[in-house]
Amino acid sequence: MRNLTAAWILMCCAMGHSAVSIAQVPPPDEAGRAQLAKMRARQQNLPDTPGTGAFPALKEEVASLPNHVVYRPARLASLGTTKLGVYVFGNGGCSDDGASSRLHLLEIASHGYLVIAPGRILSGPGTAPPPATPPPTQNGAPPVLEARTSYKDLLSALDWALAQNTDPMSPYYRRIDAKAIAVSGYSCGGVQALHIAADPRIKTMVVMNSGLFNAGATNMPEMNIPKEALKSLHTPTLYLLGGATDIAYPNGSDDVKRIDNVPVFFANLRGAGHGGSYWEPNGGKAAAVVVAWLNWQLRGDARAARQFLGKDCGLCDDPAWEVQKKRID
């Protein structure tokens, strides 16, 4: 996804410069549309991967949680005494394709997490390709973007997971650690995650290629959240961005500057752009950082903590990353 038809892709992910309305971003030309179609075809044909963790993962839709996609270890019995953490994830563009970040989500699940994204399985092997990018309106303005999911879908996913843990008829009965809850999201989905940051059940936040707008209207309702919402954060928070070319960089980095009431780790993957590493094998570098963060924050894993703690932290010494920390050490 990196470096492809940047303006339009970023617009469709509903992120913009803090001083620029998304409506100002022009649609791609014919060559750009062809490039976007090629990118989509490549993503469509990528196989699902089981992840690199100890518990090879799968994705599925389940009848008891309509309009969501569940990612989990394929063999729950293999967990033994390991309890599942929960990772609820908002999709890029607030789309209803719960498989739109599937390589990232399968990787997280393979490390012993129950991962839930809103929507249905609308991309990947065996599914229909996503709809074509809508053409500009007759007056030349880009089409109005539509949020096909809501922050409320993240809450319903969390409610479902915790209910499953106490239901003797559920395959997740007593397999979930109700105190190990993370909420995350990509781009517009990251804003959805921030929308529910005050929920007391949440133990950590992961905001990916996202941030709240400083000023200027957006044309997607799910993103009309003021900067004051950052005050509702009550848990350690990880921000992951894709360098200066990530259209979310101005907003996300500004969020980090403003947050002063909780520990924040800012990890900026140089040159990744807004597409991050979602479509790299097993979710790439960003997924590995998220796994380490979850293992530290939700499981107290001292080895994982070394990626973030101290002046010589693992990410601090990795030239791929720009790091900032507040109240972490």
Side-chain angles (χ1 to χ4, degrees):
M1 192 167 180
R2 188 180 302 176
N3 299 325
L4 294 177
T5 324
W8 188 259
I9 294 173
L10 303 179
M11 172 189 164
C12 289
C13 287
M15 295 304 306
H17 190 281
S18 57
V20 179
S21 168
I22 293 172
Q24 293 175 273
V25 182
D29 56 17
E30 183 175 352
R33 290 193 296 271
Q35 194 176 19
L36 179 56
K38 183 178 179 180
M39 178 201 73
R40 283 176 166 168
R42 172 184 171 273
Q43 293 175 356
Q44 177 75 7
N45 292 324
L46 283 174
D48 286 348
T49 49
T52 66
F55 310 105
L58 57 75
K59 71 178 192 296
E60 62 182 356
E61 297 179 10
V62 296
S64 59
L65 184 63
N67 299 314
H68 289 76
V69 179
V70 174
Y71 298 76
R72 63 169 176 85
R75 295 180 58 249
L76 292 174
S78 70
L79 289 165
T81 59
T82 299
K83 296 285 189 178
L84 291 164
V86 178
Y87 183 74
V88 178
F89 185 86
N91 305 318
C94 295
S95 80
D96 57 351
D97 182 4
S100 57
S101 297
R102 55 195 168 88
L103 301 186
H104 173 83
L105 301 181
L106 286 162
E107 174 65 13
I108 305 301
S110 78
H111 290 268
Y113 292 91
L114 177 63
V115 179
I116 309 171
R120 305 285 304 277
I121 299 174
L122 300 180
S123 61
T127 64
T133 300
T137 56
Q138 289 185 352
N139 63 4
V144 175
L145 299 177
E146 178 185 359
R148 295 181 176 271
T149 59
S150 166
Y151 69 90
K152 296 178 182 178
D153 296 319
L154 303 184
L155 291 173
S156 62
L158 180 52
D159 291 341
W160 176 85
L162 295 178
Q164 292 291 300
N165 194 43
T166 59
D167 181 359
M169 303 303 294
S170 169
Y172 299 104
Y173 180 55
R174 294 181 176 176
R175 293 191 184 277
I176 294 171
D177 183 350
K179 296 181 179 180
I181 306 295
V183 175
S184 179
Y186 165 39
S187 192
C188 182
V191 177
Q192 289 180 326
L194 287 167
H195 201 131
I196 66 170
D199 192 303
R201 297 171 295 182
I202 298 171
K203 300 305 177 185
T204 192
M205 296 284 300
V206 180
V207 182
M208 305 191 69
N209 307 98
S210 188
L212 301 181
F213 282 90
N214 278 313
T218 77
N219 58 351
M220 184 173 282
E222 286 289 304
M223 299 190 69
N224 291 332
I225 304 173
K227 286 283 189 181
E228 287 72 20
L230 297 172
K231 296 177 182 178
S232 67
L233 288 166
H234 64 96
T235 64
T237 299
L238 171 67
Y239 268 75
L240 276 165
L241 290 166
T245 59
D246 184 346
I247 201 169
Y249 182 85
N251 297 334
S253 56
D254 181 72
D255 282 4
V256 172
K257 291 177 183 177
R258 291 171 181 257
I259 297 169
D260 58 10
N261 59 318
V262 296
V264 181
F265 194 99
F266 174 88
N268 189 35
L269 185 55
R270 304 178 194 274
H274 194 56
S277 63
Y278 296 97
W279 291 101
E280 294 178 10
N282 301 302
K285 290 181 179 294
V289 170
V290 173
V291 168
W293 179 264
L294 297 179
N295 286 347
W296 176 33
Q297 294 296 322
L298 302 182
R299 292 174 170 158
D301 186 325
R303 182 177 179 181
R306 291 201 292 268
Q307 290 292 319
F308 309 97
L309 291 176
K311 293 182 179 180
D312 58 347
C313 73
L315 290 180
C316 302
D317 290 339
D318 186 339
W321 295 92
E322 173 200 350
V323 167
Q324 297 178 30
K325 296 190 277 185
K326 298 174 76 172
R327 300 177 65 177
I328 290 290
D329 295 324

